[in-house]
């Protein structure tokens, strides 16, 4: 898949930029038939940051950004759920 970024005015940089690219790549590659993503501006390939900060103009895959995939934390054993914050409505 090709994603054209248009004009990157105010694009995030540093760690936020790497997370933004990861989100684009991981979302696009979650679609059936999309194995890699090429980022472009005005149809021209651009360099994108890998999780390490290294730049690449190669097509990006989910494996490139697997470090951003984390499992939800399970509650600790014996944890008690928090009580509801709102009182139930009185019977009518």
């Amino acid at each position: 898949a090709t994603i054209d970024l248009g004009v990157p005015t105010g694009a995030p940089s540093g760690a936020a930029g790497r997370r933004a690219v990861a989100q684009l790549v991981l979302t696009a590659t979650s679609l059936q038939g999309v194995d890699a993503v090429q980022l472009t501006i005005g149809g021209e390939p651009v360099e994108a940051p890998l999780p390490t900060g290294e730049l690449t103009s190669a097509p990006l895959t989910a494996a490139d950004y697997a470090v951003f995939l984390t499992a939800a934390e399970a509650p600790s054993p014996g944890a008690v759920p928090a009580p509801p914050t709102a009182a139930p409505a009185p019977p009518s």
Side-chain angles (χ1 to χ4, degrees):
T2 299
I3 299 175
D4 195 90
L5 302 173
V7 179
T9 304
S13 61
R18 293 190 295 274
R19 283 191 306 273
V21 170
Q23 186 170 12
L24 287 171
V25 173
L26 293 170
T27 300
T29 57
S30 72
L31 299 172
Q32 186 175 15
V34 178
D35 297 321
V37 174
Q38 179 70 59
L39 299 180
T40 63
I41 294 177
E44 295 296 318
V46 296
E47 290 187 322
L50 294 169
T52 61
E54 178 185 356
L55 297 176
T56 182
S57 58
L60 307 165
T61 67
D64 293 327
Y65 297 93
V67 69
F68 288 98
L69 298 173
T70 58
E73 288 187 32
S76 57
V80 178
T85 56
S92 46

